[in-house]
């Protein structure tokens, strides 16, 4: 193995990392290692097998020999070596594999410490989002390969079966291999046309981290941080106004992360959050990006959404929120990118500006159309408006509907608490 693959010093021998520490390294570094292995080996399946073999070797060797001075380089080098060795063993049955092994072995070792805009994970995300792949496959492949989401997690986000998602991922990998899709960041001339898919995928990754699709935890900070990191890298590569808007949107949302749950991990509504816990650094960076994007006059829906979140961020309290400006921004957003979810969010803003009755009427129109009948947040909002209007039986019915549709455990507990409060109030009356 190369020099950087050796333990950092003999004094660490026998006092290496624990299995738990190796697991942490897997969660923080495995996607980087995989991205580099895909570049070096030229094949998703071969790289995934190499990643697996490298971490098995790490579990066996590091606790005994000590942590390498550069763990990521050790893992890449070990994975590459094991992939080549495996190809040579299998070459007894397929002579073409021997040639491939020789080709891979003949390539120069990469410069491990090189960190620039040609980041391997950017290569990976542009490959996963290549326009020759079906749109749903682009997202599924990126969430699996770039973000390490399990097939079951992706399936829940897509409201699809795990087998369907697995088939999409397998077919996407086959298409990349058979069509010879290049593993690179597009040129500056190509980037604008390729950017929309990438922005959509990055935001889906962020959303899975900011508000997990299901499970016990409300958020997955690692996914949101990865999406923000990718946004920063892309913005260095291409100062596009809508990319600025997307990065601003993610930063402004993420600035509230610490205040979104209490010490017990329970959900805290926006109007009840401790705003002193919001990250002022993220708010400042996000607000500046929004201003730059809006000033360009070439912005899109991400920028308008970011402007809405910026209005919330600027308010010193929930009572000081400029709801008239938020409604106007939602009107603009609906013209740019019409969506029933945006209509729902506008209805909530209308209720805050004009009263619960106005908001309820807007929600009932949405409900009558049927597009969001299975969306728990619509029923939750309707329950809240009915509660505020004293229509308690309707509120209970709507809370129960929301509870039956919610997938995230903290949201279920929040809705159950609201329902319990209504029942307690009825008993006291």
């Amino acid at each position: 193995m190369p020099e950087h693959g050796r333990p950092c010093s003999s004094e660490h021998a026998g006092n290496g990392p624990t299995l738990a520490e190796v697991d942490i390294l897997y969660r923080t570094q495995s996607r980087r290692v995989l991205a580099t292995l895909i570049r070096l080996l030229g094949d998703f399946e071969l790289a995934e097998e190499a990643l697996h073999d490298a971490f098995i070797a790490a579990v066996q060797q590091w606790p005994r020999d000590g942590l390498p001075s550069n763990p990521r380089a050790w893992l890449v080098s070990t994975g590459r070596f094991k992939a080549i060795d495996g190809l040579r063993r299998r070459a007894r049955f397929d002579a073409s594999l021997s040639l491939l092994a020789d080709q891979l072995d003949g390539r120069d070792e990469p410069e491990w410490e090189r960190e620039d805009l040609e980041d391997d994970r950017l290569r990976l995300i542009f490959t996963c989002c290549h326009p020759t792949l079906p749109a749903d496959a682009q997202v599924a492949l990126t969430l699996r390969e770039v973000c390490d989401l399990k097939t079951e997690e992706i399936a829940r986000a897509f409201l699809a079966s795990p087998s369907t998602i697995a088939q999409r991922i397998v077919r996407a990998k086959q298409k990349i291999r058979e069509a010879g899709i290049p593993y690179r960041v597009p040129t500056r001339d190509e980037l604008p046309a390729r950017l929309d898919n990438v922005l959509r995928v990055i935001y889906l990754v962020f959303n899975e981290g900011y508000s997990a699709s299901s499970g016990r935890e409300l958020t997955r900070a690692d996914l949101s941080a990865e999406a923000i990191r990718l946004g920063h890298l892309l913005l260095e590569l291409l100062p596009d106004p809508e990319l600025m808007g997307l990065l601003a949107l993610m930063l402004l949302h993420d600035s509230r992360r610490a205040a979104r749950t209490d010490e017990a991990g329970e959900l805290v509504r926006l109007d009840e959050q401790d705003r002193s816990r919001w990250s002022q650094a993220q708010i400042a960076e996000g607000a500046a990006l929004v201003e730059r994007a809006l000033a360009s006059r070439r912005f899109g829906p991400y920028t308008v959404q970011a402007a809405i979140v910026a209005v919330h961020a600027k308010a010193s309290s929930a009572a000081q929120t400029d709801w008239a400006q938020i409604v106007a921004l939602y009107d603009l957003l609906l013209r740019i990118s019409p969506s029933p979810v945006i209509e729902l969010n506008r209805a909530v803003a209308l209720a805050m500006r004009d009263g619960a009755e106005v908001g309820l009427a807007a929600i009932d129109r949405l409900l009558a159309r049927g597009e969001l009948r299975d969306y728990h947040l619509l029923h939750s909002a309707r329950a809240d408006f009915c509660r505020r209007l004293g229509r308690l039986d309707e509120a209970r019915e709507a809370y129960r509907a929301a509870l039956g549709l919610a997938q995230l455990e903290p949201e279920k507990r929040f809705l159950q608490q609201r329902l319990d409060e209504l029942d307690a109030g009825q008993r006291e009356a």
Side-chain angles (χ1 to χ4, degrees):
M1 277 192 190
E3 183 69 24
H4 53 62
R6 296 176 183 171
C8 51
S9 69
S10 60
E11 67 187 22
H12 290 284
N15 189 30
T18 65
L19 292 181
E21 289 169 330
V22 176
D23 183 62
I24 291 172
L25 189 65
Y26 177 86
R27 284 187 276 112
T28 58
Q29 294 294 321
S30 65
R31 296 302 99 185
R32 289 188 177 196
V33 174
L34 177 65
T36 300
L37 285 170
I38 292 172
R39 172 166 59 86
L40 295 176
L41 300 173
D43 184 86
F44 277 82
E45 302 294 345
L46 190 59
E48 288 167 359
E49 183 179 341
L51 175 72
H52 180 70
D53 289 343
F55 270 96
I56 288 177
V59 167
Q60 293 170 343
Q61 296 180 38
W62 290 358
R64 180 190 68 228
D65 299 337
L67 189 70
S69 57
N70 187 332
R72 179 185 169 196
W74 189 99
L75 289 162
V76 172
S77 194
T78 300
R80 177 176 178 268
F81 170 80
K82 287 187 174 294
I84 294 170
D85 188 52
L87 286 172
R88 288 203 166 116
R89 286 198 307 272
R90 294 198 292 271
R92 289 176 295 175
F93 308 102
D94 186 346
S96 65
L97 295 179
S98 179
L99 177 61
L100 177 58
D102 289 341
Q103 291 173 340
L104 293 174
D105 200 19
R107 294 177 185 173
D108 293 334
E109 284 281 335
E111 297 178 20
W112 304 111
E113 300 298 332
R114 187 166 175 260
E115 293 286 350
D116 59 16
L117 294 177
E118 294 295 296
D119 178 88
D120 278 327
R121 280 182 291 180
L122 275 179
R123 289 189 181 96
L124 181 54
I125 195 170
F126 272 105
T127 301
C128 292
C129 298
H130 197 276
T132 60
L133 300 175
D136 53 3
Q138 293 174 30
V139 179
L141 187 62
T142 302
L143 290 175
R144 180 71 193 95
E145 301 301 328
V146 180
C147 304
D148 200 25
L149 265 67
K150 295 180 177 62
T151 303
E152 292 77 10
E153 293 176 298
I154 303 170
R156 285 194 293 267
F158 272 96
L159 301 179
S161 69
S163 61
T164 298
I165 296 301
Q167 288 174 0
R168 288 178 190 171
I169 293 170
V170 168
R171 288 170 183 161
K173 290 177 182 177
Q174 289 175 341
K175 176 74 172 179
I176 289 170
R177 182 171 58 251
E178 293 169 1
I181 291 173
Y183 188 70
R184 62 176 176 83
V185 176
T187 65
R188 288 186 181 275
D189 291 339
E190 296 171 325
L191 265 174
R194 294 279 304 277
L195 194 59
D196 284 348
N197 279 346
V198 174
L199 297 188
R200 179 172 57 89
V201 170
I202 289 176
Y203 194 44
L204 282 168
V205 173
F206 176 82
N207 275 334
E208 182 63 29
Y210 184 73
S211 184
S213 56
S214 63
R216 296 182 178 181
E217 301 297 328
L218 182 67
T219 65
R220 291 183 59 182
D222 56 333
L223 287 182
S224 294
E226 174 67 6
I228 290 171
R229 194 197 80 86
L230 286 169
H232 276 122
L233 282 171
L234 271 174
L235 189 57
E236 289 182 44
L237 191 61
L238 182 70
D240 178 84
E242 190 62 348
L243 175 53
M244 292 178 197
L246 173 60
L247 181 54
L249 179 60
M250 295 189 296
L251 287 165
L252 289 164
H253 273 314
D254 203 59
S255 71
R256 305 199 297 247
R257 179 182 297 278
R260 292 183 67 219
T261 55
D262 60 20
E263 293 180 357
E266 299 302 329
L267 182 66
V268 180
R269 286 168 44 126
L270 175 62
D271 58 347
E272 298 172 349
Q273 288 176 12
D274 178 359
R275 299 188 177 215
S276 68
R277 300 183 66 194
W278 290 3
S279 169
Q280 295 305 310
Q282 286 183 305
I283 289 173
E285 183 183 359
L289 285 167
V290 170
E291 291 178 7
R292 286 175 60 193
L294 290 173
S296 75
R297 297 188 179 278
R298 292 187 293 112
F299 56 84
Y302 292 120
T303 299
V304 180
Q305 290 177 72
I308 291 168
V309 185
V311 175
H312 285 291
K314 291 174 183 176
S316 58
S317 67
Q320 297 300 313
T321 304
D322 187 345
W323 289 106
Q325 185 178 4
I326 289 176
V327 171
L329 286 168
Y330 273 124
D331 289 339
L332 174 60
L333 185 57
L334 279 170
R335 288 198 295 273
I336 295 174
S337 181
S339 154
V341 173
I342 294 171
E343 289 185 60
L344 171 60
N345 293 335
R346 182 182 180 275
V348 173
L350 274 176
M352 298 305 296
R353 188 189 72 178
D354 301 333
E357 194 165 353
V358 175
L360 181 60
I363 280 185
D364 282 344
R365 287 193 294 272
L366 268 174
L367 192 58
R369 279 162 40 193
E371 294 165 294
L372 297 180
R373 187 171 294 136
D374 295 330
Y375 189 45
H376 73 284
L377 293 180
L378 180 141
H379 295 282
S380 177
R382 189 177 194 283
D384 186 56
F385 295 159
C386 288
R387 178 182 58 82
R388 286 160 56 183
L389 291 168
R391 296 160 60 169
L392 302 187
D393 288 340
E394 288 183 71
R396 287 188 192 87
E397 183 181 351
Y399 276 131
R400 291 190 186 102
L403 189 58
L405 293 166
Q407 296 293 318
L408 201 60
E409 293 299 330
E411 288 186 330
K412 288 182 178 180
R413 291 195 296 269
F414 175 83
L415 291 166
Q416 186 62 59
Q417 181 183 355
R418 284 286 193 256
L419 194 54
D420 291 345
E421 288 170 357
L422 282 180
D423 291 340
Q426 184 182 35
R427 286 193 297 270
E428 291 173 4

